[in-house]
Amino acid sequence: MTGAVVRSDGAPEPAAGKRPLISIAIPVFNEERNVLPAYEAVLSVFESLPRYEIEFVFTDNHSSDGTFARLTELALRDPRVKVLRFNRNYGFQRSLLTAYRHVRGDAAIQLDCDLQDPPSLIPEFVALWEQGHDVVVGVRRHRVEPKTLTLARRAFYALLNLISDDQLTADAGDFRLIDRTILDQVRAIFDVNPYMRGLTSSLALREGTIPYDRRPRQHEKSKFPVRRLFRFAIDGIVGHSIVPLRFASYIGVLVSVLTFALSGFYLVGALLFGSDWPSGFATTTVLLLFSVSLNAIFMGILGEYISRIYQQVRQHPLVVIEKGINIVPEGR
């Protein structure tokens, strides 16, 4: 464990008689029926961790159901529950980054409110943290979803690790423990399109993993349809690699070389051998369409990077916090 002094037996040494604090970061959006079960499940787990204090930091992405009302009730009943409500939906990644910026703990654990990631594993996360791991990641062995989507996820992680300078753990989600040293670095980073899995793993000096089987949702529907997962994948690739830009350049050079070679072939054939080439309307059409498609792909790649540069230099707040309960919202 890097965020607190550790005794010879591996347990954290309290500062001035205080127990170490572990923050539970829970981003929520329309999770009215999941809020209370998640809260109670975590409290039950921490009964086996009496040497630690606990706080909850819920970030509400402007839920349209009774989620904020349930959170308000919890916060008024338990001062350890902190709630931040946004003025609109800013997406899961910004919500999680905001939670990490507001936690006070020696370590923070991200947990999905739907309990697909079991809180019962928290003691194992803490045990690895006590052994000196600054990031502990839950690795999903099995999840309830179509096999095609599982294969697509594996292909994405393989591609990302192939083209990225940061080696990310395959099948690792956001269910992870992060030490205070990493949280302090995350707090200093301003990224309008954060990819938190990659960011925290890239900052880790010693990352540990815990395999587990992901549970099905108990209530509500998933907030990640295929469209959002695809966008999430783009954020991961663009945020951790410039290889797509280089790939566009390499393909552009290759196509140019092939075009000049083909032009030379036709020119030599016409001048030296007197070849009378047919007009070839179909060939011309195919080549034109191929060229247009290629340009569109490369312009799209450039557009993804340029749009992120544009958003970054504007320095707009990551989120606008409408209300905070038991917590003072910080800037940006």
Side-chain angles (χ1 to χ4, degrees):
M1 181 170 55
T2 57
V5 178
V6 180
R7 299 198 307 256
S8 59
D9 62 358
E13 182 69 41
K18 293 184 178 180
R19 293 180 295 170
L21 175 65
I22 293 183
S23 302
I24 307 298
I26 308 181
V28 295
F29 177 67
N30 290 346
E31 300 283 1
E32 179 180 4
R33 291 194 289 171
N34 290 324
V35 167
L36 184 58
Y39 167 80
E40 293 176 341
V42 173
L43 283 186
S44 176
V45 169
F46 270 81
E47 291 179 358
S48 65
L49 298 170
R51 63 185 181 275
Y52 290 101
E53 293 184 359
I54 182 178
E55 72 166 358
F56 294 84
V57 177
F58 288 90
T59 47
D60 179 16
N61 238 325
H62 202 75
S63 298
S64 57
D65 61 0
T67 298
F68 184 65
R70 301 288 83 76
L71 291 174
T72 301
E73 293 172 3
L74 278 179
L76 294 177
R77 191 174 76 200
D78 186 349
R80 297 174 299 179
V81 175
K82 280 82 172 174
V83 182
L84 295 170
R85 176 172 170 84
F86 305 155
N87 70 330
R88 64 177 178 83
N89 191 335
Y90 289 91
F92 176 79
Q93 293 297 307
R94 289 195 190 186
S95 182
L96 180 55
L97 177 55
T98 302
Y100 281 153
R101 286 182 164 188
H102 285 82
V103 298
R104 300 182 300 109
D106 299 288
I109 299 175
Q110 189 277 330
L111 188 68
D112 284 350
C113 195
D114 56 21
L115 297 181
Q116 287 188 278
D117 301 325
S120 59
L121 291 177
I122 288 177
E124 297 183 35
F125 280 74
V126 173
L128 284 183
W129 177 53
E130 290 175 343
Q131 295 172 19
H133 295 277
D134 52 3
V135 173
V136 183
V137 178
V139 178
R140 300 162 178 173
R141 290 178 302 202
H142 174 72
R143 66 174 82 209
V144 182
E145 66 180 11
K147 290 188 178 296
T148 53
L149 187 55
T150 299
L151 293 174
R153 292 180 190 273
R154 292 176 180 173
F156 163 71
Y157 280 110
L159 174 63
L160 186 58
N161 279 325
L162 178 65
I163 66 177
S164 174
D165 293 331
D166 302 318
Q167 293 301 302
L168 308 182
T169 304
D171 295 318
D174 294 295
F175 183 33
R176 59 184 60 205
L177 179 149
I178 303 176
D179 181 74
R180 170 50 59 185
T181 56
I182 304 297
L183 291 169
D184 288 340
Q185 296 179 68
V186 168
R187 191 173 182 177
I189 293 174
F190 180 78
D191 188 349
V192 294
N193 293 286
Y195 180 66
M196 298 309 300
R197 301 176 187 181
L199 176 60
T200 54
S201 290
S202 66
L203 295 174
L205 297 178
R206 187 183 178 196
E207 183 175 284
T209 59
I210 294 178
Y212 73 102
D213 295 325
R214 202 158 197 246
R215 302 170 178 175
R217 289 180 63 93
Q218 298 299 314
H219 304 289
E220 314 297 347
K221 295 181 179 180
S222 173
K223 310 304 186 301
F224 285 91
V226 175
R227 174 180 56 82
R228 288 190 179 180
L229 290 175
F230 181 73
R231 185 69 206 178
F232 185 55
I234 292 177
D235 287 341
I237 292 174
V238 174
H240 286 268
S241 177
I242 61 170
V243 169
L245 288 174
R246 293 175 179 171
F247 178 75
S249 299
Y250 296 153
I251 294 298
V253 171
L254 177 61
V255 170
S256 297
V257 171
L258 292 177
T259 301
F260 280 115
L262 184 62
S263 300
F265 173 76
Y266 279 117
L267 181 62
V268 170
L271 295 178
L272 298 183
F273 301 102
S275 300
D276 184 16
W277 305 105
S279 56
F281 173 79
T283 302
T284 303
T285 302
V286 168
L287 289 175
L288 285 174
L289 291 175
F290 175 72
S291 176
V292 171
S293 300
L294 204 61
N295 285 331
I297 292 172
F298 294 156
M299 290 299 293
I301 293 174
L302 291 173
E304 287 293 336
Y305 284 91
I306 293 173
S307 68
R308 281 161 171 74
I309 295 172
Y310 170 70
Q311 292 174 328
Q312 196 75 18
V313 299
R314 292 170 71 195
Q315 291 287 299
H316 281 195
L318 287 176
V319 300
V320 175
I321 298 174
E322 179 180 301
K323 189 173 183 180
I325 305 176
N326 293 338
I327 189 171
V328 178
E330 298 181 4
R332 291 213 308 180

